[in-house]
Amino acid sequence: MSKATSPRSRKVRVLATLGPASSTPEMIEKLFDAGADAFRVNMSHGDQQSKIAVIAAIRAMEKRTGRPTTILADLQGPKLRVGKFAGGRTELTTGERFTLDRDSTPGDASRVELPHREIFEAIEVGARLLLDDGKLVLRVTAHDATTITTRIEVGGALSNHKGLNVPDVVVPMAALTDKDRSDLAFALDQKVDWIALSFVQRPEDLAEARRLIQGRAALLAKIEKPAAIDRLEEIVEQCDGVMVARGDLGVELPPESVPPLQKRIVEVSRRLGRPVIVATQMLESMITSPSPTRAEVSDVATAVYDGADAIMLSAESAAGTWPVESVAMMNAIAEAVERDPMHGDRVHFTITRPDPTTADALAEAAKNIAQTVSAAAIICFTSSGSTARRVARERPSVPLLVLTPRQETARRLGLLWGAHAVLTKDVDSFEDMVAKAKRMALRHQLAKAGDRVIIIAGVPFKTPGSTNVLHVVRIIGDELKGYGG
């Protein structure tokens, strides 16, 4: 069997962002070989036309390797920016007054245009305004329909169109811009597997994206706004997956508050059975250096110990000098952590109580039985992927082999902890199910003769949402004979 079709030796997934340093077919294949399980296409950079070749290269590699490969399209979301300055830049002095208004005249050290009506409607006295990724801090002292007066708490240089963050209020803006709607339609036409939505502040922000997607992709909510934390559980319930976008959270919140929030987001997502990705600045120094800092290695390890489904590289793989080495390092850290005898105990710090359903009860039982009888693998038959997500939520100690007849399901599961998805024909009978489970376990090197495996499925077959069977079988030596798919 080729290396490509063998399961990874780790359960956490690695998501690599593609960009100028990594968009050729050759580099994409190198990233895959180094350990990338899924690829992020950032819609904030480049035009749609440039993404077509990238997506085609991933799909061509998928065909060569025979492994369903996940593509996540990350929408830009609203970008709040100030206007222009006379001369292109100015200097804000700490302690002085600074005004943001609706006047398009080029600004100076005392004022600048803010072309976002929604902020004037939502702003409150005492709220902070952060400029240029939080480098400059303004405090609102007064406001009306056309003017926001502030005191400069942290000054510095400010140039044209720098970004603005409003961490202390919910800005009444839709999470989707016109650009996002166009990018979303493009991504769906390209048959990407996940759509990541930026600027999520409340569960209602997911509604338009969900309506436009119409089930053609899974929807991931990026948690990057402090307002999202206040309604975190509601947001997680309304999406298919979650990203801890630490970069933007770290701009709008004190840096020391981000680690406990990361743990909280991971815990809530795991408890509610949604795949969760930890992202941003994980191996930041590897943008320019062939090796990471020890603190970065520890940071990645912490996310793995917490039981995150996936860990993500951003600029490290998209624009850095060492993209392949960054993926290889992420892979090596994850493998080392999962070899730690204490890893299993730490992953189960999060209590994931099953819902009172047959499917949840069987998923929990599969994990426990696998440990009790030392099973080699859990084999899950699923059409929608929901059974696989339920089993993965339990973080079983053995590999999870997911057999599905639907290509879109196999691809979407690339962000799910421990899942090795295989596209295969559906089964028609109990005997066919057992025989196929044994063959696939052998073929994908997840079990050998004499091993027990656990099968979880639904009867009647080909009926989504009918998970009601858990079966333990022992593999004998000749299961591969007569194998036909």
Side-chain angles (χ1 to χ4, degrees):
M1 183 190 312
S2 69
K3 172 187 173 184
T5 55
S6 300
R8 302 289 190 196
S9 59
R10 53 173 160 74
K11 296 183 174 70
V12 69
R13 308 291 88 174
V14 173
L15 173 61
T17 301
L18 300 179
S22 55
S23 291
T24 65
E26 295 77 18
M27 280 300 296
I28 291 170
E29 192 140 351
K30 287 180 181 179
L31 295 182
F32 174 83
D33 289 340
D37 301 290
F39 295 96
R40 171 176 173 252
V41 178
N42 189 352
M43 303 306 295
S44 298
H45 304 296
D47 58 17
Q48 292 176 359
Q49 192 63 33
S50 67
K51 307 292 192 299
I52 293 175
V54 173
I55 293 170
I58 298 170
R59 292 301 183 220
M61 183 194 71
E62 175 186 66
K63 190 172 182 179
R64 286 194 303 275
T65 62
R67 172 179 285 172
T69 304
T70 308
I71 302 175
L72 180 146
D74 194 338
L75 303 181
Q76 176 176 288
K79 291 298 179 186
L80 307 179
R81 301 185 185 278
V82 299
K84 294 182 180 180
F85 292 94
R89 59 184 289 119
T90 191
E91 189 79 22
L92 302 193
T93 303
T94 301
E96 296 296 315
R97 190 171 79 169
F98 189 75
T99 301
L100 300 108
D101 56 40
R102 305 298 302 281
D103 182 357
S104 60
T105 305
D108 54 28
S110 65
R111 62 153 296 276
V112 74
E113 178 192 12
L114 181 60
H116 301 287
R117 172 183 51 80
E118 299 88 347
I119 297 178
F120 291 86
E121 295 174 357
I123 204 65
E124 300 171 355
V125 171
R128 292 168 298 150
L129 299 176
L130 310 179
L131 298 165
D132 194 9
D133 288 335
K135 297 183 181 71
L136 290 76
V137 181
L138 313 178
R139 182 77 63 173
V140 177
T141 57
H143 64 91
D144 57 32
T146 60
T147 305
I148 300 173
T149 304
T150 73
R151 184 181 73 257
I152 303 169
E153 291 192 347
V154 179
L158 185 63
S159 55
N160 292 345
H161 305 304
K162 283 298 183 183
L164 175 83
N165 292 80
V166 190
D168 300 329
V169 297
V170 176
V171 181
M173 297 179 73
L176 286 172
T177 65
D178 289 343
K179 169 180 165 52
D180 293 328
R181 293 184 189 94
S182 173
D183 287 341
L184 174 57
F186 164 80
L188 293 173
D189 285 344
Q190 294 295 310
K191 295 182 169 52
V192 306
D193 310 299
W194 285 83
I195 299 292
L197 187 64
S198 301
F199 210 81
V200 175
Q201 301 180 93
R202 58 210 156 193
E204 295 82 3
D205 291 335
L206 297 161
E208 183 184 3
R210 180 73 78 187
R211 177 177 60 80
L212 293 172
I213 291 170
Q214 295 183 327
R216 290 176 286 171
L219 178 60
L220 183 139
K222 294 169 66 178
I223 307 299
E224 55 190 352
K225 307 288 292 180
I229 302 299
D230 296 332
R231 302 183 68 182
L232 179 61
E233 294 214 11
E234 296 172 84
I235 289 171
V236 174
E237 286 176 343
Q238 293 298 317
C239 65
D240 302 307
V242 177
M243 180 185 291
V244 188
R246 306 184 306 175
D248 289 288
L249 273 177
V251 169
E252 300 204 358
L253 292 167
E256 66 273 13
S257 68
V258 175
L261 279 179
Q262 172 179 317
K263 289 185 176 293
R264 179 181 166 195
I265 297 166
V266 170
E267 185 272 330
V268 169
S269 302
R270 285 192 51 196
R271 179 161 46 81
L272 295 178
R274 304 299 192 274
V276 56
I277 303 165
V278 176
T280 322
Q281 297 179 330
M282 300 208 82
L283 296 176
E284 186 86 351
S285 66
M286 288 194 74
I287 296 172
T288 56
S289 170
S291 58
T293 67
R294 300 301 177 267
E296 288 168 338
V297 172
S298 181
D299 175 47
V300 173
T302 295
V304 180
Y305 277 120
D306 287 345
D309 289 82
I311 45 182
M312 189 182 101
L313 292 163
S314 301
E316 302 97 325
S317 60
T321 308
W322 308 93
V324 176
E325 290 80 1
S326 297
V327 171
M329 178 55 65
M330 204 74 124
N331 180 74
I333 297 167
E335 288 184 342
V337 170
E338 293 188 11
R339 284 195 301 268
D340 179 2
M342 294 301 296
H343 171 255
D345 292 337
R346 294 182 184 278
V347 160
H348 288 105
F349 280 171
T350 297
I351 299 173
T352 53
R353 292 188 175 89
D355 293 333
T357 65
T358 301
D360 268 24
L362 291 178
E364 184 183 40
K367 178 200 75 173
N368 294 334
I369 293 170
Q371 188 166 0
T372 301
V373 304
S374 300
I378 296 172
I379 303 169
C380 168
F381 287 82
T382 183
S383 175
S384 67
S386 63
T387 304
R389 288 190 295 272
R390 292 172 191 271
V391 176
R393 186 179 75 159
E394 302 300 324
R395 299 298 189 257
S397 58
V398 299
L400 173 60
L401 176 60
V402 184
L403 305 180
T404 179
R406 299 182 62 200
Q407 186 177 58
E408 58 267 35
T409 296
R411 287 171 170 171
R412 290 179 196 178
L413 292 175
L415 294 179
L416 187 67
W417 190 91
H420 179 69
V422 175
L423 185 65
T424 184
K425 297 173 187 174
D426 214 340
V427 294
D428 297 307
S429 67
F430 190 88
E431 292 75 15
D432 187 19
M433 175 193 77
V434 172
K436 174 162 283 192
K438 292 179 178 181
R439 290 197 304 265
M440 287 297 189
L442 286 168
R443 177 171 237 223
H444 291 269
Q445 300 178 349
L446 291 174
K448 60 185 185 302
D451 285 343
R452 288 190 180 95
V453 295
I454 296 169
I455 304 169
I456 184 167
V459 177
F461 297 105
K462 304 179 184 179
T463 306
S466 65
T467 303
N468 58 7
V469 170
L470 188 152
H471 190 55
V472 183
V473 298
R474 188 182 294 276
I475 294 178
I476 57 177
D478 59 352
E479 305 289 355
L480 277 175
K481 289 182 179 178
Y483 174 72

